[in-house]
Amino acid sequence: EPDSSLGIVGGCRACTEVVVMILLSRAKKLPPFWILLTFSGVLIAMEVILSRFLSINAPSVKIGFAFVPCALCAVLFGLAPTVILEILADLLGATLFPSGSFFPGFTLTAALRGATYGLLLGKKQTPARILIAVAINQLALGLCMNTLWISILYGSSFGALLVTRMVQSLVL
């Protein structure tokens, strides 16, 4: 029974634990496609909730744990499902819970984030591969690409936004 003082986080965690327990108990009876499909649905829901509701959002900075479902999908299923999961989670989150104008550049970044985790964490997880995946996602995708998309979307100076967003990358 979830602790009622935790609110949505406790309820979310309890629901996720129940779904995972059911899936694991029946995993031997299901074809691999259905396991992939079911887990992907749960991971997409987790990513949308973590990204849209349980993260710190400011106009040019976003801090949260939405990377966890992506990394978990990469470890469990590999490259292609992770890229698809990221695209679907981004499109679903932007459609159901918009936090501004839809911009396809962020979907491209989400796909590249999935590809990064899928390539580096899909087959083998070592500390070096994990660090490289995090560095690519934080620096190349989060810092550079998302800053470019924000500067295009809002007509802001790329350099000024880059300085502001460096703090986010250093904290994470």
Side-chain angles (χ1 to χ4, degrees):
E1 181 173 288
D3 184 1
S4 62
S5 65
L6 294 176
I8 192 169
V9 176
C12 227
R13 181 175 170 222
C15 290
T16 304
E17 287 175 4
V18 168
V19 169
V20 168
M21 284 183 352
I22 291 170
L23 289 174
L24 291 177
S25 69
R26 297 182 181 187
K28 294 178 184 171
K29 299 175 187 172
L30 293 173
F33 172 75
W34 291 109
I35 295 170
L36 171 65
L37 188 66
T38 308
F39 266 112
S40 295
V42 171
L43 292 172
I44 288 171
M46 284 175 55
E47 182 158 337
V48 169
I49 290 169
L50 288 170
S51 174
R52 302 291 172 165
F53 300 112
L54 301 176
S55 62
I56 299 169
N57 292 314
S60 64
V61 176
K62 186 174 192 176
I63 299 173
F65 293 99
F67 68 91
V68 173
C70 178
L72 186 58
C73 185
V75 169
L76 293 174
F77 303 116
L79 176 64
T82 307
V83 172
I84 293 168
L85 175 112
E86 284 297 294
I87 292 170
L88 290 176
D90 185 69
L91 293 174
L92 190 64
T95 302
L96 295 178
F97 310 106
S99 59
S101 301
F102 174 75
F103 187 73
F106 293 116
T107 305
L108 174 63
T109 302
L112 292 173
R113 181 175 49 244
T116 303
Y117 281 126
L119 285 171
L120 292 170
L121 303 180
K123 295 187 190 294
K124 187 170 154 183
Q125 301 83 39
T126 63
R129 291 173 79 97
I130 293 169
L131 282 174
I132 292 168
V134 170
I136 290 171
N137 278 303
Q138 287 298 313
L139 300 175
L141 301 178
L143 184 61
C144 296
M145 280 187 77
N146 280 345
T147 302
L148 176 64
W149 305 142
I150 292 169
S151 71
I152 291 171
L153 192 60
Y154 295 111
S156 303
S157 165
F158 178 80
L161 282 171
L162 189 63
V163 171
T164 305
R165 292 176 53 82
M166 276 187 197
V167 173
Q168 174 192 7
S169 290
L170 291 175
V171 167
L172 297 176

